[in-house]
Each structure stands twice: as structure tokens, then as C-alpha cells.
Amino acid sequence: QATGFASFADCFIDFSPGTMAEEKPKPSLPAEYVVPKVWEYKDQGGTFGGTNRPYAGAWGEDKPLEKGEHKIQLYSMGTPNGVKVTILLEELVEAFPDFEYDAWLIPINGVQFTSGFNAVNPNSKIPAMLDYSDPAKPVRVFESGSILLYLCDQFDKEGKFFPREYPARAECQNWLMWQMGSAPFIGGGFGHFYHYAPLKIEYAIDRYAMETKRLVDVLDKHLGDGNKQYVCGDQYTIADMAIWPWIGWLVDGKIYGEAAEFLQVKEYKNVCAWSKRVGERPGVKRGVMVNRPFGDKSQQLHNRHARSDFETKTQDKLEAAAA
């Protein structure tokens, strides 16, 4: 089919005003910064700048991962991406009496670059998981969305959290992938430049604030269309579990400092009602505690190995016992 372009690559030429003529130099921030011909690594500063590198691999300690007694071994931290998985795991525990798992805290301060973790996830990002259902052939699963799909395929045969039939299954997948594609704009874009970056850049904050508000509005209008209780209608699914730690926490004021006020998120009435509904589930309340190393110590369960751990192994109880 004719496109009017000489080649496919030509479709991506920047034809915006000013690019066809000699472009004027753009201002830099900081003002003295000049973009080099070849980029070179240096510590970027900020909250996570010291743990990032421009190369892959296990550059941290040569250390194997710990292993518990259950088939499922999760290695994670209670960030939005980590919480997606621990919510599903706790929902599975509640729905199926024989299901259990171990969860190990992996702080994202460099521990994710140890040899053991990198062997499970070569991208060195939490969460990562090993399934020892067949001890001779353990299955590694990384990326939060992949873990959600895997757990449902293996352990939710009834389709309680991931519908088995189409079109409901496709709709759930649509919203799960929407979240996976949206998270970088909310976290790596808005969250980083508004809250974590070592300097405030108006253009970056405005760019990602606009996109974050647009994404929240997408969800708000979707929930309002037909007065949906959950993202996929009346059924609570892994789509809700994936979206809630990002957008739910945002509208509840639990991430990125004063971001909720800055973005005026309370105007999204459908999202706020949905977030409250999801957050009240017992599985969600337990899931947010698992692998959590910050906040109220009574809500921190660094490592989880049994259902009773929520009553006996939270950080406040462990510290009191050790005192």
C-alpha cells in the first residue's frame, strides 16, 4: 500500500516546524550543560542514582537466594510492582486452602544485582519468582505482569481472578497490558521528576503530570461507563490488582509526597470509589504488608512463610521480642 514515504524509516523523520531549517540551540538545564557527542556514565544523584548502571549482569555480591519450604518462592519488595504480586498471592491463599508461598525481601538498594537474584531475573528488577512444583525443573518467572499471568494459569484453574473464557479474558488482558505500558509514565516519569529527581525541571514535571492525569482520567471514564465496580465489570481480577498499587495509591496520597494534591486526583470520583473498594479486601490488606520495609512497623512483614506470620512476625513484634 502506498504511503507517500520513500521508505518505512522515513515515517519517523521529524517534520515538526523548525526541523527542516537550521534549528536554533535549545536552552539547557543546568544552563552550562552541553549534550556531548557520546554519552558517558556518571552517578546521577537522587534517591536511586547510586544503584543504577548502564550495563546488565550481576555486579553485586556473589550470593545465592534463600529458599523456603513451599513450591512458590517470591523475591520482591513492597513497591507498586511488587505489591501487585503479593496481593494475588494472598488472594490465592484465601481462595484455595492448599495454596502457600514464601516471600523474601529484596531491598532495591543494590541487592537486586547479586548473582542469585540476577540468575532469576537478568534484568535485576523486582519482583522475580521461582516455581518448584517440579523440583527437578524449577521455573523462573520475572516481570510483574508475567508473574500474575503465570500464577493464574497454574493455580487459578477456575478463572476466579483471570477469566477463562473470551471476551472477558481479552478485556482483562487489555487492562493488564494498559497498566504495564502506563506505569513508566506514572513512576519513571511523573514520580521520578516530581518527587525523586535531584532537581526540579518544569518541562519534565509538566510533561508527565499531564500524561498521568490523562491516564487516571482514562480509568475514571472507563469505570463510570456502566457504573463498574471493578475494572472488568463485576468481577475482581488481576487487572485491578495490577492497577491499584499505582493509581489507587496515587489517589489515596500514598506515593510521591504531595502528588495527590498537585494532580487534584479527588476529582476522579469513580477511581477514588474503586480504590477504596479494592483497598478494603482482606487479601489486599495482607498483600501490601508483605516484603514491606518502610512505614508503620506493625504493617511490615519483611519475609512471609506462613498464614500466621501476619500475627506473629511483623517488624514491631520481632523488634519487641529481640529487645
Side-chain angles (χ1 to χ4, degrees):
Q1 183 178 355
T3 63
F5 294 108
S7 69
F8 181 73
D10 289 339
C11 299
F12 299 97
I13 296 175
D14 184 0
F15 291 110
S16 57
T19 58
M20 302 304 289
E22 185 175 348
E23 190 173 355
K24 296 180 180 179
K26 297 177 181 178
S28 296
L29 185 65
E32 66 273 14
Y33 177 69
V34 177
V35 180
K37 291 292 185 182
V38 178
W39 180 84
E40 294 184 0
Y41 168 75
K42 61 182 178 181
D43 191 320
Q44 298 171 337
T47 303
F48 300 108
T51 60
N52 293 320
R53 302 286 189 279
Y55 47 81
W59 53 261
E61 185 180 0
D62 185 11
K63 182 180 180 181
L65 291 172
E66 296 183 87
K67 181 179 179 298
E69 64 180 36
H70 303 300
K71 295 176 182 178
I72 295 296
Q73 302 291 308
L74 178 71
Y75 304 93
S76 189
M77 181 175 163
T79 67
N81 278 336
V83 165
K84 296 179 197 176
V85 176
T86 51
I87 287 175
L88 176 57
L89 287 167
E90 286 301 319
E91 295 284 7
L92 290 171
V93 165
E94 188 161 312
F96 305 108
D98 294 335
F99 182 82
E100 264 295 0
Y101 72 100
D102 292 289
W104 305 89
L105 173 61
I106 302 292
I108 53 175
N109 58 5
V111 179
Q112 69 270 38
F113 298 104
T114 59
S115 61
F117 188 83
N118 185 257
V120 180
N121 185 357
N123 195 35
S124 294
K125 301 288 185 182
I126 61 97
M129 188 181 81
L130 283 166
D131 179 4
Y132 288 93
S133 293
D134 181 351
K137 297 179 180 179
V139 179
R140 76 174 186 181
V141 194
F142 57 88
E143 293 296 331
S144 57
S146 178
I147 295 174
L148 294 179
L149 293 172
Y150 179 88
L151 286 170
C152 286
D153 282 343
Q154 295 298 311
F155 302 103
D156 181 19
K157 303 299 185 183
E158 302 173 6
K160 186 175 181 64
F161 303 117
F162 185 31
R164 310 303 286 184
E165 303 295 330
Y166 293 96
R169 187 177 181 89
E171 184 69 0
C172 184
Q173 286 181 174
N174 290 340
W175 287 101
L176 176 62
M177 294 304 118
W178 175 81
Q179 188 283 315
M180 300 295 289
S182 301
F185 293 97
I186 297 174
F190 173 73
H192 177 76
F193 287 108
Y194 176 78
H195 187 65
Y196 295 118
L199 71 164
K200 301 298 184 184
I201 303 173
E202 181 182 13
Y203 172 81
I205 292 172
D206 286 350
R207 168 71 178 86
Y208 289 110
M210 177 182 67
E211 181 63 9
T212 298
K213 284 183 69 68
R214 189 191 70 81
L215 290 167
V216 178
D217 196 45
V218 168
L219 182 60
D220 194 68
K221 285 183 168 60
H222 171 70
L223 290 167
D225 183 11
N227 193 29
K228 297 179 182 69
Q229 295 296 292
Y230 298 106
V231 171
C232 295
D234 292 333
Q235 183 179 4
Y236 168 71
T237 69
I238 55 174
D240 298 283
M241 300 179 208
I243 297 168
W244 183 80
W246 286 100
I247 293 182
W249 279 4
L250 180 65
V251 300
D252 291 342
K254 295 180 179 178
I255 51 176
Y256 312 139
E258 303 301 318
E261 179 181 2
F262 179 74
L263 297 175
Q264 293 293 283
V265 294
K266 294 305 178 185
E267 68 187 33
Y268 304 106
K269 303 297 185 183
N270 299 313
V271 170
C272 291
W274 162 83
S275 180
K276 184 174 185 294
R277 188 176 303 119
V278 173
E280 288 174 346
R281 293 181 64 90
V284 172
K285 290 180 179 180
R286 294 194 307 274
V288 299
M289 294 173 63
V290 179
N291 300 146
R292 184 182 182 90
F294 49 83
D296 185 341
K297 291 187 178 181
S298 70
Q299 298 298 302
Q300 296 183 30
L301 184 61
H302 289 189
N303 299 304
R304 186 259 189 228
H305 306 295
R307 298 168 190 238
S308 60
D309 287 351
F310 294 94
E311 303 299 327
T312 61
K313 299 292 180 62
T314 52
Q315 199 60 20
D316 60 327
K317 292 184 175 66
L318 292 179
E319 292 182 9

